[in-house]
């Protein structure tokens, strides 16, 4: 079973720039994470953008929607910053209803993978698994759980995704 | 959704004993891993044994089967050494056919979690996700994939679990 | 041999705040780092401030000087951000010439210790060692080397401390 | 200042072989550790052997002594298993008294560097620093301290090196 992974940035891929002392994006860590997880699913990774999800515009979302629509694979994973993950999920759900035949799972991380104690590897294993078995639809995989796109919100006080 | 996790040891929980210079078991790392993954599934963790799966006897397997049978939760995760994971899965499948109503997922790791570069966190995220959505049956979750208990073998040359 | 360690913050102790997505200071990691290094030198750690060294004022430096002057131990370590480490070293050297009988070593890190790939542990081992054997004076320990306070500059392009 | 580093194996360089489930040696991690520490000392690393120090014979020690004698650099670091580090130090001290003009520092680790929580990086920073400033002689650098070769023993109960 082949899964297409679209990378958009987010905390997942943030790094520490030692010359400026600030957080920044370079290349995605997805291939390294898949190697570490000894993942043997057939995946193809494509980086669409490398941005903080607070900087994501309608144009960015339109591009993500377009890429998901055009992907040959019926099962898709989108890595995304957690702050606006729900908004992007909604944009995807509106453009690609279940009848479109695509299972799209969005995931992210609260701590950058490049830091020692990230939740990213756990979330990646979780999201890839949900993406393999769930019926067409748009989902968020965070905190070991899977939510339908219109039944979830991020609690900004706790950083936890909650059903609603 | 509540999931019961049974810990049996395996590479997952091996540690380096700095006084003897050998690998050894102490306590399970499962709670720490669930914390790191910011897991919010309702889980209860119970350590059944702490052994290398090459040392697992029929008596050990009978105990695992009994614990799975008696667990109130219909969804179960068993951490297990990779070398004999398939044998334990077969023992579980014989005692608990799908009609028993239990979804049981076995998982493990190729590298101890206590070492920096483990696949354990990825596998844990993956196994917990499969355990939430798959129908009753016995499964192995490794390498990002999920196998039915009688359709998988570990390739001893590559360390990879393969469909058969 | 007893060594006093004064903590002032800097990259050494920066953490990732998962609720805000920004870098921030909480508690120092020095005790954890000393434990990891199995350090058996008699040290006492005191946190003077927790700031980015770009935010360090003359008042902050006066406080560091005063604390070093008053410390009973003749051998001192100061953890410090790298951007203005040289300025603080100069302030210390002016107030505490070799005749004051104090060996003061400043060190820091280019990558936060809380991130997986920090140089902090290496620098701490290095700085503590120089502090034990060098004669009274003010020194910077970075990149495995030790510099007298007035013979060093940080190359902002490369992030490397160089003799001059 | 140039330092020659001789690698002999020991816990420092032990790895987990995921196919056999046992500890084993492959290549040394020294170059990676020096990179991580942003070390800018001029060093040249040579692997003499890759063995557990409990397996070290008189022939191995004779080879280490010979290599140290022939090295052009007057400052040398030897990475070594902790169990027999004191014996090798004694062999070096007998063959290369202070009049030979060599400063030789032995160091090692209680936890393999490849595991997340190693003391190796701390010890490497410490040993390289002592090697730069101590007068000719043979020393052990462990636990943040430096011992003359004939004034130290490893406490097998605690794993700590103690003065005697």
């Amino acid at each position: 079973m082949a899964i297409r992974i679209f990378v958009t940035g987010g905390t997942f891929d943030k790094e520490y720039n030692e010359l400026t002392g600030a957080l920044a994006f370079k290349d995605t860590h997805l291939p390294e994470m898949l190697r570490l997880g000894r993942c043997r699913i057939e995946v193809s990774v494509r980086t669409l953008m490398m941005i903080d999800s607070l900087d994501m515009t309608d144009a960015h979302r339109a591009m993500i929607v377009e890429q998901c629509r055009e992907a040959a694979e019926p099962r898709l994973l989108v890595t995304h910053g957690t702050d606006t993950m729900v908004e992007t999920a909604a944009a995807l759900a509106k453009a690609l209803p279940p009848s479109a035949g695509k299972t799209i799972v969005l995931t992210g991380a609260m701590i950058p993978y490049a830091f020692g104690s990230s939740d990213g590897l756990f979330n990646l294993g979780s999201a890839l698994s949900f993406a393999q078995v769930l019926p067409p639809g748009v989902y968020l995989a965070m905190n070991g759980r899977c939510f339908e796109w219109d039944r979830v919100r991020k609690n900004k006080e706790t950083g936890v995704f909650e059903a609603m």
Side-chain angles (χ1 to χ4, degrees), chain A:
Chain A
M1 183 183 307
I3 296 183
R4 158 83 56 179
I5 301 179
F6 287 126
V7 173
T8 74
T11 297
F12 227 76
D13 274 328
K14 273 189 202 163
E15 296 189 47
Y16 186 79
N17 180 324
E18 67 185 79
L19 294 183
T20 63
L23 297 165
F25 292 106
K26 286 203 299 188
D27 295 328
T28 179
H29 297 85
L30 254 290
E32 182 186 334
M33 295 169 77
L34 293 166
R35 217 162 30 235
L36 196 63
R38 278 119 182 103
C39 184
R40 294 286 170 144
I41 309 166
E42 192 187 326
V43 299
S44 58
V45 179
R46 183 177 300 176
T47 300
L48 300 186
M49 58 201 76
M50 263 305 202
I51 62 174
D52 192 303
S53 78
L54 290 173
D55 298 330
M56 197 171 277
T57 64
D58 287 348
H60 288 121
R61 292 206 167 86
M63 182 200 179
I64 297 171
V65 166
E66 205 43 42
Q67 291 282 334
C68 287
R69 190 200 309 276
E70 288 176 8
E73 297 87 345
R75 298 183 180 276
L76 304 155
L77 185 74
V78 179
T79 69
H80 199 287
T82 59
D83 284 320
T84 70
M85 194 186 282
V86 174
E87 284 88 319
T88 302
L92 282 163
K94 259 158 225 157
L96 298 165
S99 60
K102 304 261 186 187
T103 297
I104 305 176
V105 180
L106 293 92
T107 194
M110 293 304 291
I111 296 275
Y113 170 72
F115 301 12
S117 58
S118 175
D119 52 335
L121 198 61
F122 179 86
N123 293 345
L124 181 62
S126 176
L128 279 172
S129 301
F130 284 125
Q132 289 174 71
V133 291
L134 290 176
V138 177
Y139 308 88
L140 268 72
M142 287 294 293
N143 303 121
R145 306 174 66 186
C146 195
F147 305 92
E148 290 177 78
W149 70 273
D150 55 351
R151 304 275 176 88
V152 60
R153 67 182 194 98
K154 181 182 173 187
N155 182 322
K156 307 271 184 195
E157 272 72 48
T158 61
V160 173
F161 281 77
E162 302 171 339
M164 57 167 213

